[in-house]
């Protein structure tokens, strides 16, 4: 990464989604690592409309664009919109229902 980038304009690389993790629609994911610091990764990630499940890593993220709901196997859920900051814990099982393309900047433990 250069010293400064526009998080809305950085071109991201396609990420493969496992067929069995796609629950609805035809979502596509992209991501780009911007920097790494002592085992911690800073990056950008997007997911288009649809529903997927995932197993999380230790992560904090800020939603830059889009609307979605993240549901946890505990039954709790979080509504995502621009400006929302979320903490995920390693091993949590989640379901991401995206209404409009979600874009986030994240910091994840390696």
């Amino acid at each position: 990464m250069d010293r400064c980038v526009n998080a809305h304009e950085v071109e991201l690389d396609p990420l493969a989604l496992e067929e069995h993790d796609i629950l609805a629609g035809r979502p596509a994911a992209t991501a780009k690592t911007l920097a790494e610091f002592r085992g911690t990764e800073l990056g950008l990630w997007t997911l288009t409309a649809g529903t997927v499940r995932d197993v999380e890593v230790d992560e904090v993220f800020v939603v830059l664009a889009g609307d979605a709901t993240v549901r946890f196997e505990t039954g709790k859920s979080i509504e995502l919109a621009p400006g929302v900051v979320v903490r995920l814990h390693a091993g949590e099982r989640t379901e991401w229902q995206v209404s409009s393309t979600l874009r986030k900047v994240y910091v994840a433990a390696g």
Side-chain angles (χ1 to χ4, degrees):
M1 169 176 119
D2 293 330
R3 182 174 298 274
C4 179
V5 298
N6 184 318
H8 294 284
E9 295 176 359
V10 173
E11 195 169 321
L12 309 184
D13 302 317
L15 275 179
L17 294 173
E18 298 291 333
E19 255 332 286
H20 65 273
D21 288 332
I22 298 173
L23 305 176
R26 300 182 75 134
T30 59
K32 180 98 164 174
T33 299
L34 299 177
E36 292 185 50
F37 308 92
R38 297 184 178 136
T40 300
E41 182 178 303
L42 170 69
L44 295 166
W45 178 88
T46 65
L47 185 63
T48 62
T51 305
V52 299
R53 62 179 159 210
D54 197 13
V55 177
E56 302 304 333
V57 299
D58 281 322
E59 175 183 335
V60 173
F61 68 85
V62 179
V63 177
L64 300 174
D67 293 290
T69 302
V70 177
R71 291 184 180 82
F72 298 85
E73 65 183 349
T74 61
K76 293 186 179 184
S77 64
I78 299 171
E79 297 299 319
L80 302 179
V84 172
V85 179
V86 177
R87 167 71 160 97
L88 299 173
H89 300 276
E92 287 182 312
R93 295 182 183 280
T94 55
E95 185 177 292
W96 295 69
Q97 183 178 0
V98 177
S99 304
S100 65
T101 300
L102 189 67
R103 188 174 188 100
K104 68 180 185 177
V105 59
Y106 68 86
V107 176

